Short mmCIF file of all heavy atoms in Angstrom, two decimals:
data_model
loop_
_atom_site.label_atom_id
_atom_site.label_comp_id
_atom_site.label_asym_id
_atom_site.label_seq_id
_atom_site.Cartn_x
_atom_site.Cartn_y
_atom_site.Cartn_z
N MET A 725 13.42 4.51 -3.13
CA MET A 725 14.52 3.66 -3.42
C MET A 725 14.76 3.76 -4.92
O MET A 725 13.90 3.86 -5.75
CB MET A 725 14.20 2.22 -3.02
CG MET A 725 15.15 1.21 -3.51
SD MET A 725 14.90 -0.49 -2.87
CE MET A 725 13.18 -0.69 -2.75
N GLN A 726 16.04 3.71 -5.31
CA GLN A 726 16.38 3.75 -6.72
C GLN A 726 16.92 2.42 -7.15
O GLN A 726 17.79 1.82 -6.50
CB GLN A 726 17.46 4.85 -6.95
CG GLN A 726 17.60 5.27 -8.40
CD GLN A 726 18.49 6.44 -8.55
OE1 GLN A 726 19.64 6.37 -8.19
NE2 GLN A 726 17.94 7.54 -9.05
N LEU A 727 16.39 1.94 -8.27
CA LEU A 727 16.81 0.68 -8.85
C LEU A 727 17.22 0.85 -10.30
O LEU A 727 16.71 1.80 -11.00
CB LEU A 727 15.66 -0.35 -8.85
CG LEU A 727 15.07 -0.76 -7.51
CD1 LEU A 727 13.81 -1.58 -7.71
CD2 LEU A 727 16.09 -1.51 -6.69
N ARG A 728 18.04 0.00 -10.78
CA ARG A 728 18.42 -0.01 -12.21
C ARG A 728 17.53 -1.01 -12.90
O ARG A 728 17.59 -2.19 -12.58
CB ARG A 728 19.88 -0.35 -12.38
CG ARG A 728 20.35 -0.18 -13.83
CD ARG A 728 21.82 -0.41 -13.89
NE ARG A 728 22.18 -0.05 -15.27
CZ ARG A 728 23.29 0.56 -15.58
NH1 ARG A 728 24.19 0.80 -14.65
NH2 ARG A 728 23.54 0.84 -16.85
N VAL A 729 16.73 -0.54 -13.83
CA VAL A 729 15.84 -1.40 -14.61
C VAL A 729 16.10 -1.21 -16.09
O VAL A 729 15.94 -0.03 -16.55
CB VAL A 729 14.37 -1.15 -14.26
CG1 VAL A 729 13.43 -2.01 -15.08
CG2 VAL A 729 14.09 -1.33 -12.78
N ASN A 730 16.48 -2.20 -16.76
CA ASN A 730 16.77 -2.15 -18.21
C ASN A 730 17.75 -1.03 -18.55
O ASN A 730 17.57 -0.30 -19.53
CB ASN A 730 15.48 -2.04 -19.02
CG ASN A 730 14.63 -3.30 -18.92
OD1 ASN A 730 15.07 -4.34 -18.42
ND2 ASN A 730 13.41 -3.24 -19.38
N GLY A 731 18.74 -0.90 -17.73
CA GLY A 731 19.82 0.07 -17.94
C GLY A 731 19.55 1.52 -17.50
O GLY A 731 20.38 2.36 -17.68
N HIS A 732 18.41 1.74 -16.93
CA HIS A 732 18.02 3.07 -16.45
C HIS A 732 17.74 3.06 -14.99
O HIS A 732 17.12 2.13 -14.48
CB HIS A 732 16.79 3.63 -17.23
CG HIS A 732 16.94 3.67 -18.70
ND1 HIS A 732 17.67 4.64 -19.32
CD2 HIS A 732 16.57 2.84 -19.68
CE1 HIS A 732 17.69 4.43 -20.63
NE2 HIS A 732 16.99 3.31 -20.87
N PHE A 733 18.15 4.12 -14.30
CA PHE A 733 17.79 4.22 -12.89
C PHE A 733 16.39 4.81 -12.75
O PHE A 733 16.08 5.82 -13.40
CB PHE A 733 18.83 5.09 -12.11
CG PHE A 733 20.13 4.39 -11.97
CD1 PHE A 733 21.20 4.67 -12.79
CD2 PHE A 733 20.31 3.48 -10.94
CE1 PHE A 733 22.41 4.02 -12.66
CE2 PHE A 733 21.50 2.82 -10.76
CZ PHE A 733 22.58 3.13 -11.61
N ILE A 734 15.57 4.13 -11.93
CA ILE A 734 14.22 4.64 -11.68
C ILE A 734 14.02 4.72 -10.18
O ILE A 734 14.59 3.94 -9.42
CB ILE A 734 13.13 3.75 -12.33
CG1 ILE A 734 13.13 2.37 -11.73
CG2 ILE A 734 13.28 3.73 -13.85
CD1 ILE A 734 11.94 1.51 -12.16
N ASP A 735 13.15 5.66 -9.76
CA ASP A 735 12.76 5.72 -8.37
C ASP A 735 11.48 4.93 -8.13
O ASP A 735 10.51 5.08 -8.89
CB ASP A 735 12.53 7.22 -7.95
CG ASP A 735 13.80 8.00 -7.95
OD1 ASP A 735 14.80 7.52 -7.41
OD2 ASP A 735 13.81 9.11 -8.55
N VAL A 736 11.54 4.10 -7.13
CA VAL A 736 10.34 3.32 -6.77
C VAL A 736 10.04 3.58 -5.30
O VAL A 736 10.89 3.92 -4.50
CB VAL A 736 10.55 1.81 -7.02
CG1 VAL A 736 10.81 1.55 -8.48
CG2 VAL A 736 11.66 1.27 -6.17
N PRO A 737 8.76 3.50 -4.94
CA PRO A 737 8.34 3.77 -3.54
C PRO A 737 9.01 2.74 -2.61
O PRO A 737 9.30 1.59 -2.96
CB PRO A 737 6.85 3.59 -3.51
CG PRO A 737 6.42 3.66 -4.95
CD PRO A 737 7.62 3.23 -5.78
N GLU A 738 9.20 3.12 -1.36
CA GLU A 738 9.80 2.24 -0.37
C GLU A 738 8.98 1.01 -0.16
O GLU A 738 9.49 -0.02 0.32
CB GLU A 738 10.04 2.99 0.94
CG GLU A 738 11.12 4.05 0.86
CD GLU A 738 12.49 3.49 0.58
OE1 GLU A 738 12.86 2.41 1.06
OE2 GLU A 738 13.21 4.18 -0.17
N GLU A 739 7.66 1.04 -0.44
CA GLU A 739 6.83 -0.14 -0.26
C GLU A 739 7.16 -1.26 -1.21
O GLU A 739 6.72 -2.39 -1.04
CB GLU A 739 5.31 0.18 -0.47
CG GLU A 739 4.69 1.33 0.24
CD GLU A 739 5.02 2.68 -0.40
OE1 GLU A 739 4.68 2.98 -1.55
OE2 GLU A 739 5.69 3.45 0.29
N VAL A 740 7.83 -0.93 -2.30
CA VAL A 740 8.22 -1.94 -3.28
C VAL A 740 9.40 -2.75 -2.71
O VAL A 740 10.54 -2.30 -2.75
CB VAL A 740 8.57 -1.31 -4.68
CG1 VAL A 740 9.03 -2.31 -5.66
CG2 VAL A 740 7.38 -0.56 -5.21
N LYS A 741 9.09 -3.91 -2.16
CA LYS A 741 10.10 -4.68 -1.47
C LYS A 741 10.39 -6.07 -2.09
O LYS A 741 11.26 -6.75 -1.70
CB LYS A 741 9.67 -4.90 0.00
CG LYS A 741 9.60 -3.60 0.77
CD LYS A 741 9.31 -3.85 2.21
CE LYS A 741 9.14 -2.56 2.98
NZ LYS A 741 10.28 -1.76 3.08
N THR A 742 9.57 -6.46 -3.11
CA THR A 742 9.77 -7.75 -3.79
C THR A 742 9.70 -7.54 -5.26
O THR A 742 9.30 -6.50 -5.76
CB THR A 742 8.64 -8.75 -3.40
OG1 THR A 742 7.42 -8.27 -3.92
CG2 THR A 742 8.56 -9.00 -1.89
N VAL A 743 10.19 -8.57 -6.00
CA VAL A 743 10.15 -8.51 -7.45
C VAL A 743 8.68 -8.38 -7.90
O VAL A 743 8.37 -7.59 -8.83
CB VAL A 743 10.79 -9.75 -8.02
CG1 VAL A 743 10.65 -9.79 -9.56
CG2 VAL A 743 12.27 -9.78 -7.65
N THR A 744 7.77 -9.13 -7.27
CA THR A 744 6.34 -9.04 -7.64
C THR A 744 5.83 -7.57 -7.49
O THR A 744 5.12 -7.09 -8.34
CB THR A 744 5.48 -10.00 -6.79
OG1 THR A 744 5.94 -11.34 -7.02
CG2 THR A 744 3.99 -9.83 -7.04
N ALA A 745 6.19 -6.94 -6.41
CA ALA A 745 5.78 -5.55 -6.19
C ALA A 745 6.37 -4.63 -7.26
O ALA A 745 5.69 -3.69 -7.71
CB ALA A 745 6.14 -5.10 -4.78
N LEU A 746 7.60 -4.92 -7.68
CA LEU A 746 8.23 -4.12 -8.72
C LEU A 746 7.49 -4.28 -10.05
O LEU A 746 7.18 -3.33 -10.76
CB LEU A 746 9.70 -4.47 -8.88
CG LEU A 746 10.43 -3.81 -10.03
CD1 LEU A 746 10.47 -2.31 -9.82
CD2 LEU A 746 11.83 -4.36 -10.18
N VAL A 747 7.13 -5.51 -10.37
CA VAL A 747 6.39 -5.82 -11.57
C VAL A 747 5.01 -5.11 -11.52
O VAL A 747 4.60 -4.51 -12.51
CB VAL A 747 6.21 -7.34 -11.79
CG1 VAL A 747 5.21 -7.67 -12.87
CG2 VAL A 747 7.55 -8.00 -12.08
N ASP A 748 4.35 -5.14 -10.42
CA ASP A 748 3.09 -4.42 -10.24
C ASP A 748 3.23 -2.95 -10.39
O ASP A 748 2.50 -2.26 -11.09
CB ASP A 748 2.46 -4.71 -8.89
CG ASP A 748 1.95 -6.13 -8.75
OD1 ASP A 748 1.83 -6.86 -9.78
OD2 ASP A 748 1.66 -6.57 -7.60
N PHE A 749 4.31 -2.37 -9.78
CA PHE A 749 4.57 -0.92 -9.88
C PHE A 749 4.81 -0.54 -11.30
O PHE A 749 4.35 0.54 -11.74
CB PHE A 749 5.81 -0.59 -9.03
CG PHE A 749 6.27 0.85 -9.17
CD1 PHE A 749 5.58 1.88 -8.60
CD2 PHE A 749 7.39 1.12 -9.93
CE1 PHE A 749 5.98 3.19 -8.75
CE2 PHE A 749 7.82 2.44 -10.10
CZ PHE A 749 7.12 3.49 -9.53
N LEU A 750 5.48 -1.37 -12.12
CA LEU A 750 5.74 -1.07 -13.52
C LEU A 750 4.58 -1.40 -14.41
O LEU A 750 4.63 -1.24 -15.60
CB LEU A 750 6.99 -1.84 -13.96
CG LEU A 750 8.30 -1.45 -13.28
CD1 LEU A 750 9.36 -2.43 -13.68
CD2 LEU A 750 8.66 -0.01 -13.53
N ALA A 751 3.44 -1.85 -13.80
CA ALA A 751 2.22 -2.27 -14.55
C ALA A 751 2.49 -3.32 -15.61
O ALA A 751 1.95 -3.25 -16.72
CB ALA A 751 1.57 -1.00 -15.16
N LEU A 752 3.26 -4.30 -15.25
CA LEU A 752 3.59 -5.42 -16.16
C LEU A 752 2.97 -6.74 -15.76
O LEU A 752 3.19 -7.76 -16.38
CB LEU A 752 5.10 -5.62 -16.25
CG LEU A 752 5.92 -4.41 -16.82
CD1 LEU A 752 7.38 -4.69 -16.70
CD2 LEU A 752 5.50 -4.13 -18.25
N GLN A 753 2.11 -6.73 -14.69
CA GLN A 753 1.57 -7.95 -14.15
C GLN A 753 0.70 -8.74 -15.11
O GLN A 753 0.55 -9.93 -14.98
CB GLN A 753 0.86 -7.69 -12.83
CG GLN A 753 -0.41 -6.85 -12.95
CD GLN A 753 -0.15 -5.34 -12.87
OE1 GLN A 753 0.96 -4.90 -13.11
NE2 GLN A 753 -1.19 -4.65 -12.55
N SER A 754 0.14 -8.09 -16.14
CA SER A 754 -0.73 -8.79 -17.06
C SER A 754 0.02 -9.25 -18.32
O SER A 754 -0.58 -9.79 -19.23
CB SER A 754 -1.92 -7.92 -17.45
OG SER A 754 -1.44 -6.78 -18.19
N LYS A 755 1.31 -9.06 -18.34
CA LYS A 755 2.12 -9.41 -19.55
C LYS A 755 2.98 -10.63 -19.28
O LYS A 755 3.26 -10.95 -18.13
CB LYS A 755 3.01 -8.26 -19.94
CG LYS A 755 2.22 -6.99 -20.29
CD LYS A 755 3.16 -5.92 -20.81
CE LYS A 755 2.38 -4.69 -21.08
NZ LYS A 755 1.88 -4.55 -22.42
N VAL A 756 3.36 -11.29 -20.34
CA VAL A 756 4.30 -12.39 -20.23
C VAL A 756 5.70 -11.76 -20.16
O VAL A 756 6.09 -11.00 -21.06
CB VAL A 756 4.22 -13.37 -21.45
CG1 VAL A 756 5.30 -14.42 -21.33
CG2 VAL A 756 2.82 -13.96 -21.54
N ILE A 757 6.42 -12.02 -19.04
CA ILE A 757 7.70 -11.36 -18.85
C ILE A 757 8.77 -12.36 -18.36
O ILE A 757 8.42 -13.39 -17.84
CB ILE A 757 7.60 -10.22 -17.81
CG1 ILE A 757 7.19 -10.76 -16.43
CG2 ILE A 757 6.72 -9.09 -18.31
CD1 ILE A 757 7.26 -9.75 -15.32
N ILE A 758 9.99 -12.00 -18.57
CA ILE A 758 11.15 -12.64 -17.99
C ILE A 758 11.83 -11.60 -17.16
O ILE A 758 12.07 -10.49 -17.62
CB ILE A 758 12.10 -13.21 -19.07
CG1 ILE A 758 11.40 -14.19 -19.99
CG2 ILE A 758 13.34 -13.80 -18.42
CD1 ILE A 758 10.96 -15.49 -19.31
N VAL A 759 12.19 -11.96 -15.91
CA VAL A 759 12.88 -11.04 -15.04
C VAL A 759 14.24 -11.55 -14.66
O VAL A 759 14.37 -12.76 -14.27
CB VAL A 759 12.06 -10.81 -13.73
CG1 VAL A 759 12.80 -9.84 -12.80
CG2 VAL A 759 10.67 -10.27 -14.03
N GLU A 760 15.26 -10.73 -14.84
CA GLU A 760 16.59 -11.07 -14.44
C GLU A 760 16.99 -10.10 -13.33
O GLU A 760 16.89 -8.90 -13.51
CB GLU A 760 17.54 -10.92 -15.64
CG GLU A 760 18.97 -11.18 -15.32
CD GLU A 760 19.87 -10.89 -16.53
OE1 GLU A 760 19.96 -11.69 -17.46
OE2 GLU A 760 20.49 -9.77 -16.49
N GLN A 761 17.43 -10.64 -12.19
CA GLN A 761 17.80 -9.87 -11.04
C GLN A 761 19.31 -10.13 -10.82
O GLN A 761 19.72 -11.19 -10.56
CB GLN A 761 17.03 -10.22 -9.80
CG GLN A 761 17.34 -9.45 -8.56
CD GLN A 761 16.54 -9.88 -7.35
OE1 GLN A 761 16.06 -10.99 -7.31
NE2 GLN A 761 16.42 -8.97 -6.41
N ASN A 762 20.10 -9.05 -10.93
CA ASN A 762 21.55 -9.15 -10.76
C ASN A 762 22.19 -10.27 -11.57
O ASN A 762 23.01 -11.03 -11.08
CB ASN A 762 21.86 -9.31 -9.29
CG ASN A 762 21.36 -8.18 -8.45
OD1 ASN A 762 21.40 -7.02 -8.85
ND2 ASN A 762 20.80 -8.46 -7.26
N GLY A 763 21.73 -10.38 -12.83
CA GLY A 763 22.33 -11.33 -13.69
C GLY A 763 21.78 -12.73 -13.64
O GLY A 763 22.21 -13.66 -14.34
N VAL A 764 20.77 -12.97 -12.77
CA VAL A 764 20.16 -14.33 -12.60
C VAL A 764 18.71 -14.27 -13.05
O VAL A 764 17.94 -13.46 -12.58
CB VAL A 764 20.21 -14.74 -11.10
CG1 VAL A 764 19.53 -16.08 -10.93
CG2 VAL A 764 21.67 -14.79 -10.61
N ILE A 765 18.39 -15.12 -14.01
CA ILE A 765 17.01 -15.20 -14.49
C ILE A 765 16.16 -15.87 -13.42
O ILE A 765 16.48 -16.96 -12.91
CB ILE A 765 16.92 -15.97 -15.84
CG1 ILE A 765 17.68 -15.19 -16.94
CG2 ILE A 765 15.44 -16.19 -16.25
CD1 ILE A 765 17.74 -15.92 -18.22
N LEU A 766 15.04 -15.25 -13.09
CA LEU A 766 14.16 -15.74 -12.04
C LEU A 766 13.01 -16.55 -12.62
O LEU A 766 12.42 -16.16 -13.62
CB LEU A 766 13.56 -14.59 -11.22
CG LEU A 766 14.54 -13.65 -10.57
CD1 LEU A 766 13.80 -12.58 -9.83
CD2 LEU A 766 15.47 -14.41 -9.61
N GLN A 767 12.70 -17.65 -11.96
CA GLN A 767 11.50 -18.43 -12.30
C GLN A 767 10.33 -17.67 -11.70
O GLN A 767 10.52 -16.90 -10.76
CB GLN A 767 11.61 -19.84 -11.72
CG GLN A 767 12.75 -20.67 -12.22
CD GLN A 767 12.69 -20.88 -13.73
OE1 GLN A 767 11.62 -21.15 -14.28
NE2 GLN A 767 13.81 -20.74 -14.40
N ALA A 768 9.12 -17.94 -12.23
CA ALA A 768 7.96 -17.22 -11.73
C ALA A 768 7.76 -17.40 -10.21
O ALA A 768 7.32 -16.49 -9.50
CB ALA A 768 6.72 -17.70 -12.47
N ASN A 769 8.10 -18.59 -9.72
CA ASN A 769 7.93 -18.84 -8.23
C ASN A 769 8.99 -18.14 -7.41
O ASN A 769 8.91 -18.21 -6.17
CB ASN A 769 7.88 -20.34 -7.97
CG ASN A 769 9.19 -21.04 -8.31
OD1 ASN A 769 10.07 -20.49 -8.97
ND2 ASN A 769 9.29 -22.30 -7.89
N GLU A 770 9.91 -17.47 -8.03
CA GLU A 770 10.94 -16.72 -7.27
C GLU A 770 10.68 -15.24 -7.25
O GLU A 770 11.47 -14.47 -6.73
CB GLU A 770 12.32 -16.95 -7.92
CG GLU A 770 12.80 -18.39 -7.90
CD GLU A 770 14.12 -18.58 -8.62
OE1 GLU A 770 14.18 -18.33 -9.85
OE2 GLU A 770 15.07 -18.97 -7.95
N HIS A 771 9.54 -14.79 -7.74
CA HIS A 771 9.24 -13.37 -7.78
C HIS A 771 8.89 -12.76 -6.40
O HIS A 771 8.77 -11.52 -6.32
CB HIS A 771 8.13 -13.10 -8.79
CG HIS A 771 8.56 -13.21 -10.18
ND1 HIS A 771 7.79 -12.78 -11.24
CD2 HIS A 771 9.71 -13.72 -10.76
CE1 HIS A 771 8.38 -13.00 -12.38
NE2 HIS A 771 9.58 -13.58 -12.11
N GLU A 772 8.83 -13.57 -5.39
CA GLU A 772 8.64 -13.02 -4.04
C GLU A 772 9.97 -12.67 -3.37
O GLU A 772 9.98 -12.29 -2.22
CB GLU A 772 7.84 -14.02 -3.16
CG GLU A 772 6.38 -14.09 -3.56
CD GLU A 772 5.69 -12.73 -3.59
OE1 GLU A 772 5.85 -11.91 -2.71
OE2 GLU A 772 4.90 -12.51 -4.57
N ARG A 773 11.02 -12.79 -4.10
CA ARG A 773 12.38 -12.41 -3.58
C ARG A 773 12.41 -10.96 -3.20
O ARG A 773 11.81 -10.10 -3.84
CB ARG A 773 13.46 -12.60 -4.65
CG ARG A 773 13.87 -14.01 -4.91
CD ARG A 773 14.91 -13.98 -5.97
NE ARG A 773 15.95 -14.90 -5.61
CZ ARG A 773 17.05 -15.05 -6.24
NH1 ARG A 773 17.33 -14.33 -7.33
NH2 ARG A 773 17.96 -15.93 -5.88
N ALA A 774 13.16 -10.68 -2.13
CA ALA A 774 13.33 -9.28 -1.74
C ALA A 774 14.23 -8.57 -2.72
O ALA A 774 15.10 -9.17 -3.33
CB ALA A 774 13.93 -9.29 -0.32
N ILE A 775 14.05 -7.29 -2.79
CA ILE A 775 14.92 -6.44 -3.61
C ILE A 775 15.65 -5.46 -2.74
O ILE A 775 15.19 -5.09 -1.65
CB ILE A 775 14.16 -5.75 -4.74
CG1 ILE A 775 13.08 -4.83 -4.21
CG2 ILE A 775 13.52 -6.74 -5.68
CD1 ILE A 775 12.37 -3.99 -5.30
N GLN A 776 16.83 -5.07 -3.22
CA GLN A 776 17.71 -4.12 -2.52
C GLN A 776 17.98 -2.95 -3.41
O GLN A 776 17.95 -3.05 -4.65
CB GLN A 776 19.01 -4.82 -2.15
CG GLN A 776 18.88 -6.06 -1.33
CD GLN A 776 18.24 -5.83 0.02
OE1 GLN A 776 18.52 -4.81 0.69
NE2 GLN A 776 17.36 -6.72 0.42
N PRO A 777 18.29 -1.78 -2.85
CA PRO A 777 18.57 -0.61 -3.68
C PRO A 777 19.71 -0.76 -4.69
O PRO A 777 19.75 -0.16 -5.73
CB PRO A 777 18.93 0.50 -2.67
CG PRO A 777 18.27 0.03 -1.39
CD PRO A 777 18.29 -1.48 -1.44
N SER A 778 20.60 -1.66 -4.40
CA SER A 778 21.75 -1.89 -5.30
C SER A 778 21.44 -2.86 -6.43
O SER A 778 22.29 -3.12 -7.33
CB SER A 778 22.94 -2.40 -4.48
OG SER A 778 22.63 -3.62 -3.85
N ASP A 779 20.24 -3.44 -6.46
CA ASP A 779 19.88 -4.48 -7.46
C ASP A 779 19.73 -3.85 -8.83
O ASP A 779 19.35 -2.69 -9.03
CB ASP A 779 18.57 -5.17 -7.08
CG ASP A 779 18.74 -6.12 -5.99
OD1 ASP A 779 19.87 -6.46 -5.61
OD2 ASP A 779 17.67 -6.62 -5.49
N SER A 780 20.09 -4.69 -9.81
CA SER A 780 19.92 -4.34 -11.23
C SER A 780 18.95 -5.37 -11.86
O SER A 780 19.10 -6.59 -11.67
CB SER A 780 21.28 -4.39 -11.93
OG SER A 780 21.15 -4.13 -13.24
N PHE A 781 18.01 -4.88 -12.64
CA PHE A 781 17.02 -5.74 -13.27
C PHE A 781 16.98 -5.56 -14.77
O PHE A 781 17.20 -4.44 -15.27
CB PHE A 781 15.61 -5.37 -12.72
CG PHE A 781 15.42 -5.75 -11.31
CD1 PHE A 781 15.68 -4.83 -10.31
CD2 PHE A 781 14.97 -7.00 -10.92
CE1 PHE A 781 15.53 -5.11 -8.99
CE2 PHE A 781 14.80 -7.31 -9.60
CZ PHE A 781 15.06 -6.41 -8.61
N GLU A 782 16.79 -6.63 -15.45
CA GLU A 782 16.43 -6.60 -16.87
C GLU A 782 15.09 -7.28 -16.97
O GLU A 782 14.92 -8.44 -16.46
CB GLU A 782 17.45 -7.37 -17.74
CG GLU A 782 18.83 -6.72 -17.78
CD GLU A 782 18.81 -5.36 -18.52
OE1 GLU A 782 18.03 -5.19 -19.49
OE2 GLU A 782 19.59 -4.50 -18.09
N ILE A 783 14.12 -6.64 -17.54
CA ILE A 783 12.78 -7.20 -17.68
C ILE A 783 12.42 -7.17 -19.17
O ILE A 783 12.42 -6.13 -19.78
CB ILE A 783 11.76 -6.40 -16.85
CG1 ILE A 783 12.15 -6.39 -15.37
CG2 ILE A 783 10.35 -6.96 -17.05
CD1 ILE A 783 11.34 -5.53 -14.49
N VAL A 784 12.10 -8.38 -19.66
CA VAL A 784 11.79 -8.53 -21.10
C VAL A 784 10.31 -8.91 -21.18
O VAL A 784 9.83 -9.78 -20.48
CB VAL A 784 12.67 -9.64 -21.73
CG1 VAL A 784 12.27 -9.81 -23.19
CG2 VAL A 784 14.12 -9.34 -21.58
N THR A 785 9.57 -8.20 -22.05
CA THR A 785 8.17 -8.53 -22.32
C THR A 785 8.07 -9.12 -23.69
O THR A 785 8.90 -8.86 -24.59
CB THR A 785 7.28 -7.32 -22.20
OG1 THR A 785 7.64 -6.36 -23.21
CG2 THR A 785 7.32 -6.67 -20.87
N PHE A 786 7.07 -9.98 -23.89
CA PHE A 786 6.87 -10.61 -25.20
C PHE A 786 5.70 -10.00 -25.87
O PHE A 786 4.70 -9.72 -25.22
CB PHE A 786 6.65 -12.15 -24.99
CG PHE A 786 7.91 -12.83 -24.53
CD1 PHE A 786 8.20 -12.97 -23.16
CD2 PHE A 786 8.81 -13.33 -25.39
CE1 PHE A 786 9.31 -13.54 -22.71
CE2 PHE A 786 9.99 -13.91 -24.97
CZ PHE A 786 10.22 -14.08 -23.62
N VAL A 787 5.84 -9.78 -27.16
CA VAL A 787 4.74 -9.19 -27.97
C VAL A 787 4.49 -10.10 -29.12
O VAL A 787 5.40 -10.54 -29.82
CB VAL A 787 5.23 -7.77 -28.48
CG1 VAL A 787 4.19 -7.17 -29.36
CG2 VAL A 787 5.63 -6.89 -27.33
N GLY A 788 3.18 -10.43 -29.30
CA GLY A 788 2.79 -11.27 -30.41
C GLY A 788 2.70 -10.44 -31.69
O GLY A 788 2.66 -9.24 -31.68
N GLY A 789 2.70 -11.15 -32.78
CA GLY A 789 2.55 -10.48 -34.06
C GLY A 789 3.10 -11.30 -35.16
O GLY A 789 3.65 -12.39 -34.96
N GLY A 790 3.08 -10.79 -36.36
CA GLY A 790 3.49 -11.61 -37.51
C GLY A 790 4.42 -10.87 -38.42
O GLY A 790 5.18 -10.06 -38.34
#
């Protein structure tokens, strides 16, 4: 399945069916992130939402520093 993530189209396995699975596939599960799906910012408890091939995601990670 092809998804748009941060402005780029990427291929993800068909097993990736939820936002949580997408985050795991992108190896971001250990980071503090904000996920926007189709223009809607998701709360952490909404990451079990299903994803569709036409979905667009913006994923922002936070980096500490000074």
Side-chain angles (χ1 to χ4, degrees):
M725 167 173 39
Q726 195 172 62
L727 298 172
R728 186 176 189 144
V729 178
N730 294 349
H732 302 282
F733 287 99
I734 64 168
D735 291 314
V736 298
E738 291 297 322
E739 308 78 65
V740 176
K741 297 185 183 294
T742 65
V743 175
T744 298
L746 176 62
V747 169
D748 290 347
F749 173 75
L750 296 172
L752 297 173
Q753 66 272 21
S754 64
K755 299 187 184 266
V756 177
I757 61 171
I758 300 294
V759 179
E760 178 186 281
Q761 181 182 22
N762 300 321
V764 176
I765 296 173
L766 302 179
Q767 300 298 319
N769 63 349
E770 297 177 298
H771 286 192
E772 288 307 317
R773 282 180 139 186
I775 60 175
Q776 304 298 320
S778 60
D779 284 350
S780 177
F781 292 90
E782 293 293 326
I783 301 175
V784 178
T785 61
F786 292 90
V787 178

